[in-house]
Amino acid sequence: MDSELAALAASGATTLVSLMVTDSWTHARDLVGRFFSRSGVDGTAITNLDTARTQLLVAEVTEDTQTTRDITEQWHTYLQRLLLAGSATGDDLRDLLTSLQRIANNSDLQPSTVHNDISGGVQHGPVIQSGRIAGLTFHVHHATAPTQD
């Protein structure tokens, strides 16, 4: 593997691991998941990300820096294997890394002004104002109209 791709994999692993312990992880995880699915990686990679995140959160509380280094090295090796196998190109990983760095710098998560008007009478369901919502499901039970005999 040439030195540019090795450096790219190392940078990708470092950025990925650093984002795992932030509030931005959900957004970053979605991007990484799409990257892995395009690369033909099986679903265990996402499970491994979630496991690594849990370990990192525990390590952060216990100030265990060795776990952070170990997990960073694991993801570095994983990304290198993807590049060596041809499952992902350097450009693919570079694009992912650019997106992850944007998230890390909060450049695409700047607050913005939102104005919503609700009209049409009484609302019988949830009304939410938010800049970004992911993975939200509402279970609404509708009252059934009485039947006429």
Side-chain angles (χ1 to χ4, degrees):
M1 170 175 280
D2 71 16
S3 60
E4 181 187 356
L5 290 180
L8 190 60
S11 181
T14 301
T15 303
L16 181 64
V17 170
S18 67
L19 280 169
M20 285 183 186
V21 293
T22 69
D23 292 336
S24 300
W25 174 241
T26 302
H27 186 58
R29 183 184 181 275
D30 290 343
L31 288 173
V32 174
R34 285 193 295 272
F35 171 78
F36 285 158
S37 68
R38 284 191 311 268
S39 301
V41 175
D42 63 15
T44 60
I46 295 298
T47 303
N48 293 341
L49 283 173
D50 293 335
T51 301
R53 180 174 195 262
T54 301
Q55 292 170 343
L56 287 167
L57 291 171
V58 170
E60 187 176 58
V61 170
T62 62
E63 298 179 15
D64 177 9
T65 57
Q66 185 60 45
T67 297
T68 302
R69 284 191 298 269
D70 291 346
I71 290 172
T72 302
E73 183 57 35
Q74 288 170 359
W75 285 102
H76 177 209
T77 302
Y78 187 80
L79 292 173
Q80 280 183 317
R81 287 183 186 152
L82 281 178
L83 292 170
L84 285 171
S87 300
T89 67
D91 288 339
D92 293 336
L93 186 54
R94 204 172 285 107
D95 291 345
L96 174 65
L97 185 56
T98 300
S99 297
L100 292 177
Q101 287 171 339
R102 234 182 274 125
I103 292 169
N105 295 331
N106 288 325
S107 63
D108 67 339
L109 300 175
Q110 295 300 319
S112 60
T113 302
V114 176
H115 178 77
N116 289 331
D117 290 315
I118 299 173
S119 61
V122 177
Q123 304 298 313
H124 294 286
V127 176
I128 297 175
Q129 178 175 328
S130 174
R132 192 176 300 224
I133 299 176
L136 187 62
T137 304
F138 289 105
H139 299 282
V140 180
H141 300 285
H142 297 284
T144 57
T147 58
Q148 295 179 350
D149 293 328

